[in-house]
C-alpha cells in the first residue's frame, strides 16, 4: 500500500469526529435559537441536548 493511502485511512476517523462535533454544535445552536424564540422550552432543550450529546 502506498504511504499516502495509509495516511488518508488513518486521518479519516479524526476528520469524521471533527465533522460530527461541528454538526452537533450547529444543531445545538439551532435548538437554542428555538428556545430564545419561545418555540421550545428549556426542558425540551435540555432533553434534546442530552440526546444529541449521548448522555
Amino acid at each position: 500500500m502506498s504511504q499516502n493511502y495509509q495516511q488518508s485511512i488513518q486521518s479519516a476517523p479524526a476528520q469524521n469526529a471533527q465533522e460530527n462535533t461541528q454538526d452537533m454544535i450547529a444543531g445545538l445552536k439551532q435548538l437554542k435559537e428555538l428556545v430564545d424564540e419561545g418555540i421550545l422550552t428549556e426542558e425540551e432543550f435540555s432533553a434534546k441536548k442530552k440526546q444529541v450529546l449521548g448522555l
Side-chain angles (χ1 to χ4, degrees):
M1 279 186 222
S2 74
Q3 189 175 12
N4 289 340
Y5 178 74
Q6 289 176 339
Q7 287 175 343
S8 67
I9 290 174
Q10 292 170 350
S11 67
Q15 184 177 2
N16 287 341
Q18 183 178 8
E19 289 173 3
N20 288 342
T21 300
Q22 290 172 349
D23 288 345
M24 283 193 313
I25 291 169
L28 291 172
K29 285 181 179 180
Q30 288 177 340
L31 289 171
K32 181 61 175 149
E33 288 177 13
L34 295 175
V35 172
D36 294 343
E37 294 173 7
I39 297 169
L40 287 179
T41 65
E42 283 291 336
E43 292 81 17
E44 292 168 324
F45 173 75
S46 294
K48 188 64 176 173
K49 182 172 76 171
K50 286 180 183 179
Q51 180 184 2
V52 168
L53 297 175
L55 300 175

